[in-house]
Amino acid sequence: MHALRKNRPLRRIVLASATTVSAMVLLLSLKPHAGSGLAAGASTPAPQGDVSAPPSSPGASKTVTGPTVQTRWGPVQVRVTVQGGRLTDVTAVQYPTDNPHDREIDSYALPQLRREALAAQSARIDMVSGATYTSTGYRQSLQSALDQAHG
């Protein structure tokens, strides 16, 4: 007779629980696609940084460098360009580069953070999985640069 067909309810409960826990772990470990809106609720929102106020003269371009934000793995600093009230460029000026792992993380995180900032037109962007400290520093420097560009 098969082991599960015996009258052993405890064994069935343990196996069902283990299967359920395994399934939940697998589901929670899935990462949503970067372009989907599903990840928006997964991160904490940054302070508002709308770029609605135009620079001093219409159509004029203004470039501002945000402050250097010290993170656990190194400094992060962002430079923004605002033209006609729109965020037109974001460049990471400083970021952690002390070791190959930092450079690997930067190679995928910085372009993604830049794309999100340009799409959002603010510092209200999602953090990049695996680059939490860099993402946090990036958002803080970006917000400060946007505030300066409008001040």
Side-chain angles (χ1 to χ4, degrees):
M1 187 176 255
H2 192 269
L4 289 179
R5 292 187 184 194
K6 292 181 182 176
N7 192 10
R8 299 191 184 229
L10 185 58
R11 179 178 281 173
R12 290 180 188 175
I13 292 171
V14 169
L15 286 174
S17 298
T19 302
T20 303
V21 168
S22 297
M24 291 302 296
V25 167
L26 286 173
L27 283 173
L28 294 174
S29 67
L30 290 176
K31 297 177 185 171
H33 186 272
S36 74
L38 298 176
S43 67
T44 56
Q48 179 134 356
D50 290 339
V51 188
S52 55
S56 54
S57 62
S61 178
K62 187 172 187 180
T63 300
V64 179
T65 302
T68 301
V69 177
Q70 293 298 327
T71 69
R72 179 177 179 180
W73 302 115
V76 178
Q77 186 177 32
V78 176
R79 178 180 298 132
V80 299
T81 302
V82 177
Q83 184 172 12
R86 293 197 44 87
L87 181 61
T88 59
D89 192 27
V90 183
T91 306
V93 180
Q94 287 187 54
Y95 44 88
T97 58
D98 290 342
N99 59 57
H101 185 65
D102 288 341
R103 291 188 289 277
E104 178 185 351
I105 289 171
D106 295 337
S107 70
Y108 72 85
L110 295 176
Q112 186 172 339
L113 290 167
R114 180 182 186 276
R115 278 191 305 274
E116 288 203 23
L118 291 172
Q121 290 291 301
S122 73
R124 298 177 73 188
I125 58 177
D126 289 335
M127 296 179 60
V128 176
S129 178
T132 304
Y133 292 103
T134 300
S135 298
T136 301
Y138 191 98
R139 289 183 353 177
Q140 289 174 1
S141 185
L142 175 61
Q143 180 64 57
S144 182
L146 289 171
D147 291 344
Q148 291 176 44
H150 293 53

